[in-house]
Amino acid sequence: MKLIGYIVKGSENFFREPIYQDSKGVYFSHTIDNRYNITSFQEYQGGTNSFKKIFLSKKFAIGTKAAIVFLGKEDYLHYDSAPNAIEEVIHYLNDLSSRFKVDGILDQAMLLKNRIFSDHFVVDNFVVKMNPDNEQIILSFDFPSPKKTTFSEEKSGKSDRSVKVFSETTAEDEKDAIFSKAIKQLNSVDMNFELKLKLRAEERRSKLKTFNYQFKLNQNSTRRKKSSE
């Protein structure tokens, strides 16, 4: 399904009901749960004159976050998938609040934001999405880039000849590994055994990548030293 329009009926500064279209050109409306996930699509019977056409190439499916369409003052229109759209709508309403009374719709937008992100939380560099229906937790990892090797130039005391000195940054202590921290912090979450094994596997892969990176740096350092001799 792709977002194809929104129902015209409604006042300004109002969230409009989105209309979707499948590959066959049939129009649909959605039903959502309390976390703003799509639970089903129903064929829309209102006719093309009852909604205004827009287009968003993103695909929407059952189980994903639904679309948001917001029509503000002076033909302001913003639409996207719910996690991407809601922050922009809130910023717009905050800017508008200096000239108009928008407390009611702003409160509605904030409550909507809470619904949209109610199945997400952040632990350091981890973004965690929980699905309480089937007891799954999905984690996406933001890996820190490996520490770069640094070079410095020092002048010899006996001559003005500059000598390149190789200095290698030390790796972080394994006790401070990002995955170890995350596992400790996630102990308060009711995780199943499979999830803990996956976290430890990711930790081992991260350490192996770091080791390989440092090994290549050491090899390059040795080659440079031999070539300078």
Side-chain angles (χ1 to χ4, degrees):
M1 297 286 182
K2 293 184 178 180
L3 182 66
I4 196 65
Y6 63 93
I7 295 179
V8 175
K9 184 179 179 181
S11 59
E12 63 180 6
N13 274 355
F14 196 78
F15 288 99
R16 304 301 180 92
E17 184 178 352
I19 299 296
Y20 305 86
Q21 186 181 49
D22 65 6
S23 58
K24 297 179 180 178
V26 181
Y27 301 126
F28 292 86
S29 60
H30 67 218
T31 57
I32 55 177
D33 61 16
N34 59 353
R35 298 177 185 271
Y36 212 76
N37 296 308
I38 298 173
T39 57
S40 65
F41 291 100
Q42 291 85 33
E43 187 172 345
Y44 181 67
Q45 305 293 340
T48 57
N49 293 331
S50 63
F51 70 88
K52 186 172 182 178
K53 286 192 174 183
I54 53 178
F55 183 76
L56 183 66
S57 61
K58 291 182 180 179
K59 292 183 178 180
F60 295 86
I62 293 175
T64 64
K65 297 297 181 183
I68 278 182
V69 180
F70 183 85
L71 185 63
K73 292 183 177 293
E74 299 173 351
D75 297 324
Y76 170 86
L77 176 65
H78 187 70
Y79 56 92
D80 204 337
S81 59
N84 295 333
I86 190 61
E87 291 286 0
E88 170 61 28
V89 173
I90 291 173
H91 290 323
Y92 165 78
L93 291 172
N94 280 324
D95 292 340
L96 204 66
S97 63
S98 61
R99 295 182 293 141
F100 302 98
K101 291 183 178 180
V102 294
D103 292 344
I105 188 64
L106 183 56
D107 289 342
Q108 182 181 344
M110 294 301 296
L111 290 173
L112 188 57
K113 177 183 176 181
N114 291 336
R115 287 180 60 191
I116 293 167
F117 294 106
S118 60
D119 56 355
H120 292 69
F121 65 94
V122 177
V123 180
D124 284 349
N125 294 325
F126 293 80
V127 178
V128 184
K129 180 179 180 181
M130 296 188 300
N131 188 341
D133 295 333
N134 55 13
E135 297 181 352
Q136 290 183 350
I137 302 179
I138 303 171
L139 297 95
S140 62
F141 305 99
D142 183 13
F143 291 98
S145 60
K147 291 186 176 181
K148 294 182 179 179
T149 303
T150 58
F151 294 89
S152 60
E153 291 189 359
E154 295 181 0
K155 289 188 176 180
S156 172
K158 296 182 180 179
S159 66
D160 293 333
R161 182 170 57 89
S162 296
V163 180
K164 289 186 177 180
V165 179
F166 176 82
S167 61
E168 182 179 346
T169 55
T170 57
E172 292 183 359
D173 193 336
E174 285 187 353
K175 294 181 181 179
D176 294 330
I178 184 171
F179 291 103
S180 298
K181 288 183 178 180
I183 290 174
K184 290 178 182 178
Q185 290 179 319
L186 287 172
N187 279 339
S188 59
V189 181
D190 185 16
M191 293 190 299
N192 56 35
F193 183 72
E194 182 182 2
L195 175 61
K196 291 183 179 180
L197 288 179
K198 287 181 180 179
L199 280 172
R200 291 193 175 98
E202 292 293 344
E203 180 181 5
R204 287 194 293 271
R205 279 194 288 269
S206 176
K207 289 180 179 178
L208 183 59
K209 287 180 181 178
T210 303
F211 174 80
N212 289 336
Y213 182 82
Q214 291 172 346
F215 180 76
K216 290 180 181 178
L217 287 180
N218 290 335
Q219 281 186 323
N220 293 336
S221 173
T222 303
R223 290 170 186 164
R224 291 190 186 95
K225 287 180 179 179
K226 287 182 178 179
S227 63
S228 63
E229 292 176 355

